[in-house]
Amino acid sequence: MILILEPNSSPESTDYKILTGQLDRLSGISYRIHREVGAEVTLTEIYLIGNTAALSIEQMQVLPCVEKVVRVSEAYRVLGRHKQGDDRPSSFQYNGVRFGQDTLNIFAGLCAVDSPESTDAMMRALKEHNLTCTRMGAYKPRTNPYAFQGFGAKCLPYVFELAGKYGIRVIAMEVTHESHVDEVRAALKTTGSPTGVMLQIGTRNTQNFELLKHVGRQQDFPVLIKRGFGITLDESLNAAEYLASEGNRKVVFCLRGMKTNMGDPHRNFVDFSHVPVVKRLTRMPVCIDPSHSVGSRSSAPDGILDLFHVAAQGVVAGANMLLIDFHPNPTKALVDGPQALLLSELPHFLADVAIAREAYIKRAALVAAHTAH
Ligand code: PEP
Ligand code: MN
């Protein structure tokens, strides 16, 4: 059961103390408090855990500071959509960019940062197309221990400075160890915070619970968590819930394909039909990663690259974020060159995505018109 408190309820107030005093006296019930300090309002939610079936909504509703009571009906307590009266937000703001189940943010960028020159060329192209988000891999989880592992902390200062130069607000960047979060924070500080970072949990770490807890405990950065490549959707959504249960609910969930030979010749089996499923089960914005799903630049007889086709499929189904590999010179890329799009393809890609987004908006309007009468 979730108690949603009146906005700006202060833990110092008498009413708040009466409320927690009453909760302390409930037998077989413990609780966890989530406070979301915003620029204008502070929102507080109290999660009651234990034998909540014995409590009635009416009984909890009359407690001081309580604005609303929601009975939890799904496993994902914080991020889930609960059946009764759950109108909690499905969006958040970070560094001036809004992420929601109704927006579409495009994160085109380098799979791996390999030089200041390619980073500069990439970001300059983004600015030319008014894009303010990107992806930049500094810590790369590689199958082969002898493969390039990413430049790590060494590249962060120039990545952040160039991001500032080109007006980039948010960089999706994978972290594979908790120390990487500190390195990102330190590099942002020394460069004067010219940009923002969305910490990415890669598919290989979806169930690295200690990493999830660490990233969930900090609230400086939002998190992009990728679906595990060989586990169920429920297991991956529980992994996302780990982040929120530790306090960070600025979480975006990313579909990136499932590892199975059934998806051949694609690198992974594209799972973008799950976009609406994740939006129904949770309040998270949903990202799709066509690059790591498809893994090649193959195209259909219509001349359209598979990468474009699957991106469009996800966007038509209501995806909220696109993570996509580009490189100024893919043959020289140190990671995933074969799946990278060329900078010259960026305007074509954006125009294609815009068609799919328009189709989604029309489809949503169509269903609204049909359910209105
Ligand atoms: C990536 O986005 O760079 C990446 C490694 O993706 P995934 O974790 O989906 O394999
Ligand atoms: Mn990659």
Side-chain angles (χ1 to χ4, degrees), residues 111 292 325 336 339:
C111 178
H292 291 84
D325 291 0
D336 284 349
Q339 70 192 24

Side-chain angles (χ1 to χ4, degrees), residues 281-343:
L281 294 176
T282 78
R283 296 176 294 121
M284 287 185 278
V286 181
C287 176
I288 51 165
D289 178 344
S291 304
H292 291 84
S293 298
V294 168
S296 77
R297 293 179 45 88
S298 307
S299 56
D302 56 20
I304 302 174
L305 293 176
D306 291 9
L307 284 166
F308 280 49
H309 268 302
V310 302
Q313 286 158 18
V315 172
V316 163
N320 309 114
M321 177 169 157
L322 250 172
L323 199 64
I324 179 120
D325 291 0
F326 274 79
H327 198 282
N329 189 353
T331 56
K332 294 268 167 60
L334 296 179
V335 185
D336 284 349
Q339 70 192 24
L341 293 172
L342 309 168
L343 297 189

Side-chain angles (χ1 to χ4, degrees), residues 39 74 83 107 134 240 253 274 292 335 352-354:
E74 307 297 337
K83 288 194 180 75
F107 283 61
T134 189
F253 188 80
H274 278 170
H292 291 84
V335 185
D352 202 47
V353 168

Side-chain angles (χ1 to χ4, degrees), residues 111-112 135 137 140-141 174 200-204 226-227 229 256 267-268 289 292 323 325 336:
C111 178
R135 56 158 296 144
K140 299 304 299 177
E174 179 164 359
Q200 185 174 322
I201 303 287
T203 195
R204 290 159 189 80
K226 291 214 170 176
R227 178 182 190 169
F229 59 68
R256 48 81 69 205
R267 184 174 174 182
N268 288 288
D289 178 344
H292 291 84
L323 199 64
D325 291 0
D336 284 349

Side-chain angles (χ1 to χ4, degrees), residues 67-200:
E67 183 175 86
K68 193 165 180 181
V69 181
V70 177
R71 200 178 276 290
V72 173
S73 54
E74 307 297 337
Y76 327 116
R77 293 176 191 213
V78 182
L79 294 174
R81 271 183 192 282
H82 302 299
K83 288 194 180 75
Q84 286 170 356
D86 188 2
D87 51 9
R88 294 174 298 155
S90 55
S91 68
F92 63 85
Q93 192 93 13
Y94 173 66
N95 208 28
V97 182
R98 190 167 166 275
F99 295 88
Q101 285 195 337
D102 56 350
T103 57
L104 177 61
N105 297 107
I106 297 174
F107 283 61
L110 304 177
C111 178
V113 175
D114 46 18
S115 71
E117 292 72 30
S118 56
T119 307
D120 188 282
M122 183 72 235
M123 290 184 178
R124 186 173 334 117
L126 297 174
K127 185 171 171 65
E128 277 164 17
H129 293 89
N130 301 315
L131 294 173
T132 57
C133 298
T134 189
R135 56 158 296 144
M136 290 283 148
Y139 308 94
K140 299 304 299 177
R142 305 304 303 281
T143 304
N144 183 331
Y146 308 110
F148 171 63
Q149 304 283 309
F151 283 125
K154 230 171 47 189
C155 68
L156 298 182
Y158 72 74
V159 170
F160 294 160
E161 275 159 11
L162 287 169
K165 174 175 168 194
Y166 292 113
I168 301 292
R169 311 299 311 234
V170 188
I171 302 174
M173 181 175 280
E174 179 164 359
V175 289
T176 58
H177 188 269
E178 57 183 68
S179 59
H180 299 159
V181 183
D182 299 329
E183 290 176 3
V184 166
R185 192 182 285 110
L188 277 174
K189 194 158 175 233
T190 51
T191 52
S193 295
T195 187
V197 171
M198 178 178 274
L199 301 176
Q200 185 174 322

